[in-house]
């Protein structure tokens, strides 16, 4: 992620932080293998359907994913996030306890890496 930061300077970007809701509960109630399954499903979905030349995904914490988008038309980033949240919910309906996620985002121009960090 830090290696990619210089690539985002002097352009419009969208930044989203995705957090798996109540992730600790999955590990506590069903074991770490179940928690790993939830994380694996999220990672595979992001790799298959999300990552491209405009969207980069990074694991940011235990159950948090950072998405940085560049080169998208105004409003496209938010629309993609809404679709992502709905599709992820459908993907996990058959799990013993379906996983959901919350998304926070910001968009704007960043002049340098420091501004990108502030946006995150």
């Amino acid at each position: 992620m830090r290696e990619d930061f210089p690539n985002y300077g002097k352009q419009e970007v969208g930044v989203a932080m995705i957090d798996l809701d109540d992730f600790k509960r999955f590990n506590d109630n069903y074991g770490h293998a179940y928690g790993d399954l939830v994380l694996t499903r999220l990672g595979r979905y992001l790799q298959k359907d999300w990552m491209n030349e405009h969207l980069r995904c990074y694991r940011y914490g235990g159950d948090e994913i950072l998405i940085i988008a560049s080169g998208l038309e105004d409003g496209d980033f938010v629309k993609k996030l809404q679709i992502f949240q709905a599709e992820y919910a459908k993907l996990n309906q058959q799990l013993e306890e379906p996983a959901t996620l919350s998304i926070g985002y910001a968009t704007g121009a960043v002049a340098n890496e420091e501004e990108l960090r502030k946006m995150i």
Side-chain angles (χ1 to χ4, degrees):
M1 175 177 74
R2 284 177 176 67
E3 292 174 8
D4 290 344
F5 268 30
N7 300 332
Y8 298 112
K10 297 183 176 129
Q11 62 179 310
E12 292 281 328
V13 297
V15 173
M17 187 68 70
I18 296 173
D19 182 66
L20 288 165
D21 298 329
D22 300 317
F23 183 72
K24 185 179 181 317
R25 185 183 71 230
F26 293 115
N27 285 335
D28 291 348
N29 292 346
Y30 304 104
H32 288 278
Y34 188 84
D36 289 347
L37 173 66
V38 171
L39 284 173
T40 299
R41 283 174 172 255
L42 176 58
R44 284 187 183 142
Y45 178 73
L46 287 169
Q47 283 180 326
K48 179 179 165 245
D49 295 331
W50 260 69
M51 292 181 71
N52 62 40
E53 68 274 7
H54 299 292
L55 293 161
R56 298 293 307 219
C57 304
Y58 309 91
R59 188 165 179 194
Y60 197 76
D63 65 327
E64 294 142 356
I65 304 294
L66 172 67
I67 296 175
I68 302 177
S70 60
L72 296 177
E73 294 295 319
D74 222 17
D76 285 350
F77 184 59
V78 175
K79 289 176 191 170
K80 285 187 79 60
L81 292 174
Q82 291 169 337
I83 292 168
F84 170 74
Q85 192 169 33
E87 291 297 317
Y88 185 75
K90 288 180 195 173
L91 177 71
N92 287 297
Q93 286 178 343
Q94 75 279 16
L95 290 176
E96 189 170 337
E97 186 172 339
T100 58
L101 47 81
S102 299
I103 302 173
Y105 68 90
T107 60
V110 293
N112 53 44
E113 291 179 47
E114 183 60 30
E115 287 185 7
L116 180 59
R117 285 187 184 89
K118 286 179 184 178
M119 187 180 278
I120 293 170

